[in-house]
């Protein structure tokens, strides 16, 4: 094309298609999003996803201001009743992907492993089923994995421990069975919040987890057995432990607690021994040891008597305020 021809062409083009130059959205991202819209077949949610409009202007997505690539896709509170489209893997700049409370069905598509920049995957409160795929361990940059409140079955894949940047792991309220993976001692972030409650996990908590340093650990409402005292210790920075509603059976008399502890819920287990005196030094501790097999005097502190008897009832021979006096 000669220069004069190019100028004429450009003038004609700019006159008739001005928005073609102002559209920021990457054509490949736009094509993928339109495929997702088609697959999910829901005019209500995707009403703003108009092919004639720049996709950086659409609702539920965000374009990076520098690269103009889609880096966020967030849908919530919708009734999709379809699987997550596998086209999702063709948004290579995606960092945050969230379909929360959207009635997604089926399994997580393997194409998700193409999203190497993904840091945040939130699929909480859906009807996803089948095993939690072990390929999620390939999403090396994940900081947050939320799969709570779905219908996942089978055991927890040990490959999740390859997510070394993970700070939030939420697998609670599913139908997961088997043991907590031994590899879960390998998480490396400074702060790790782990929620595995309301599943059917069984067996002993692996001893390897004694090396780990969870900030928050909720494994309540499972079928876990045996001893967990090795998860405690002065060298940890854990603030909350919830082990309630399991079948844990050990003597807690000599347990040593981290200074950072603010919540210790052990209700409905088979814990024996007495309450360690050191519990008296935590002025803002929430403690619930009801429905166990504990004995002896409840330590006296600014805090423990304030908690009320419900947090201590139904033990073998626990006594002293807020329970009746020891004999
Ligand atoms: C999901 O489906 C159930 C059952 O059809 C329905 O009651 C519920 O409202 C749906 N959720 C949303 C967020 O629309
Ligand atoms: C899980 O599956 C059961 C039946 O298999 C169904 O009744 C239930 O609604 C499902 N729950 C969710 C959260 O999808
Ligand atoms: C736990 O983390 C805290 C703060 O990050 C650190 O001081 C402590 O040494 C860690 N303990 C273990 C057992 O890794």
């Amino acid at each position: 094309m000669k220069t004069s021809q190019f100028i004429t062409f450009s003038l004609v083009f700019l006159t008739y298609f001005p928005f073609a130059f102002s559209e920021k959205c990457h054509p490949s991202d736009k094509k993928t999003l339109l495929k997702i819209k088609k697959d999910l077949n829901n005019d209500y949610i995707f009403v703003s996803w108009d092919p004639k409009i720049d996709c950086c202007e659409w609702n539920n997505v965000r374009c990076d201001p520098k690269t103009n690539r889609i880096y966020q896709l967030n849908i919530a509170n919708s009734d999709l009743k379809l699987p997550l489209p596998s086209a999702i893997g063709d948004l290579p700049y995606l960092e945050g992907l969230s379909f929360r409370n959207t009635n997604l069905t089926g399994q997580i598509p393997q194409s998700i492993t193409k999203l190497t920049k993904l840091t945040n995957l939130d699929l909480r409160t859906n009807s996803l089923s089948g095993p939690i795929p072990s390929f999620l361990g390939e999403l090396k940059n994940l900081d947050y994995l939320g799969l709570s409140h779905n219908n996942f079955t089978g055991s927890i894949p040990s490959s999740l421990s390859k997510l070394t940047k993970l700070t939030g792991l939420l697998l609670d309220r599913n139908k997961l069975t088997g043991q907590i993976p031994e590899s879960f001692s390998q998480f490396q972030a400074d702060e790790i919040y782990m929620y595995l409650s309301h599943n059917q996990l069984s067996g002993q908590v692996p001893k390897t987890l004694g090396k780990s340093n969870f900030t928050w650990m909720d494994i309540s409402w499972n079928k876990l057995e045996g001893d967990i005292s090795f998860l405690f210790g002065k060298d940890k920075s854990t603030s909350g432990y919830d082990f309630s509603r399991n079948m844990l059976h050990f003597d807690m008399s000599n347990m040593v607690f981290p200074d950072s502890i603010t919540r210790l819920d052990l209700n409905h287990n088979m814990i024996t021994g007495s309450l360690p005196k050191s519990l008296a030094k935590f002025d803002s501790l929430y403690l619930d040891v009801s429905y166990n097999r504990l004995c002896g005097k409840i330590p006296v502190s600014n805090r423990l008597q304030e908690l009320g008897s419900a947090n201590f009832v139904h033990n073998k021979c626990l006594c002293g305020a807020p329970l009746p006096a020891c004999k």
Side-chain angles (χ1 to χ4, degrees):
M1 204 188 293
K2 277 193 270 169
T3 312
S4 59
Q5 277 177 320
F6 179 72
I7 290 170
T8 313
F9 169 81
S10 303
L11 279 173
V12 169
F13 199 81
L14 278 169
T15 308
Y16 291 98
F17 306 101
F19 68 86
F21 284 93
S22 61
E23 170 143 348
K24 289 186 278 173
C25 176
H26 194 280
S28 155
D29 288 350
K30 188 170 200 172
K31 190 171 154 225
T32 302
L33 290 171
L34 289 171
K35 172 87 171 73
I36 291 168
K37 173 181 174 173
K38 183 165 173 286
D39 288 351
L40 291 176
N41 189 29
N42 186 306
D43 294 334
Y44 181 70
I45 308 167
F46 301 105
V47 69
S48 71
W49 292 21
D50 181 338
K52 294 196 291 292
I53 296 172
D54 184 346
C55 81
C56 289
E57 305 295 323
W58 295 356
N59 293 337
N60 306 103
V61 290
R62 284 202 186 154
C63 267
D64 183 284
K66 288 206 190 79
T67 63
N68 290 327
R69 300 301 299 251
I70 297 289
Y71 75 102
Q72 291 271 0
L73 170 55
N74 303 312
I75 314 260
N77 310 325
S78 314
D79 198 10
L80 294 169
K81 292 213 171 62
L82 283 168
L84 190 61
S86 88
I88 214 85
D90 298 322
L91 292 170
Y93 286 74
L94 216 53
E95 293 170 22
L97 174 61
S98 163
F99 277 75
R100 194 171 163 201
N101 190 25
T102 55
N103 273 336
L104 284 179
T105 60
Q107 306 198 1
I108 300 175
Q110 181 144 21
S111 63
I112 208 165
T113 57
K114 291 193 276 177
L115 302 177
T116 53
K117 292 183 193 291
L118 204 62
T119 58
N120 196 307
L121 177 59
D122 186 357
L123 302 174
R124 285 178 292 163
T125 314
N126 282 291
S127 298
L128 297 168
S129 58
I132 292 176
S134 64
F135 57 67
L136 291 181
E138 294 169 36
L139 294 169
K140 291 283 188 295
N141 283 310
L142 268 198
D143 167 73
Y144 176 94
L145 176 60
L147 303 178
S148 315
H149 219 283
N150 276 284
N151 249 345
F152 287 111
T153 52
S155 53
I156 300 174
S158 62
S159 64
L160 295 185
S161 67
K162 292 193 217 149
L163 304 172
T164 50
K165 296 183 184 170
L166 211 59
T167 63
L169 176 63
L170 293 82
L171 308 180
D172 53 293
R173 294 178 164 79
N174 280 289
K175 293 173 180 157
L176 300 169
T177 52
Q179 275 191 277
I180 298 172
E182 284 190 18
S183 64
F184 274 19
S185 58
Q186 290 162 24
F187 292 119
Q188 284 165 17
D190 286 340
E191 292 204 334
I192 306 166
Y193 292 78
M194 180 169 80
Y195 295 85
L196 306 178
S197 71
H198 295 85
N199 280 293
Q200 293 151 30
L201 300 171
S202 60
Q204 309 242 353
V205 175
K207 284 278 189 301
T208 50
L209 265 63
K211 284 185 292 187
S212 57
N213 200 4
F214 295 100
T215 313
W216 199 273
M217 188 174 189
D218 182 353
I219 56 177
S220 62
W221 295 85
N222 278 290
K223 297 175 177 167
L224 297 161
E225 293 167 25
D227 190 358
I228 42 122
S229 54
F230 57 85
L231 295 171
F232 295 76
K234 262 214 130 16
D235 59 338
K236 311 279 184 196
S237 55
T238 309
S239 56
Y241 295 95
D242 191 344
F243 297 120
S244 60
R245 305 265 175 178
N246 277 289
M247 302 185 300
L248 301 171
H249 191 181
F250 62 97
D251 183 330
M252 76 177 284
S253 310
N254 297 315
M255 260 166 94
V256 179
F257 303 100
D259 289 335
S260 46
I261 195 169
T262 60
R263 187 176 187 93
L264 175 59
D265 198 341
L266 299 170
N267 80 71
H268 287 86
N269 280 287
M270 296 183 277
I271 301 166
T272 59
S274 58
L275 291 177
K277 288 221 168 42
S278 63
L279 282 173
K281 73 175 184 199
F282 301 103
D283 281 340
S284 55
L285 176 68
Y286 177 87
L287 176 74
D288 188 345
V289 293
S290 61
Y291 291 84
N292 278 289
R293 296 178 184 170
L294 294 164
C295 232
K297 189 169 183 324
I298 297 172
V300 177
S301 73
N302 294 333
R303 177 66 186 159
L304 293 173
Q305 281 62 39
E306 207 178 85
L307 285 169
S309 57
N311 295 26
F312 299 95
V313 292
H314 228 283
N315 274 283
K316 195 169 149 213
C317 46
L318 212 50
C319 61
L323 295 180
C326 301
K327 296 205 179 85

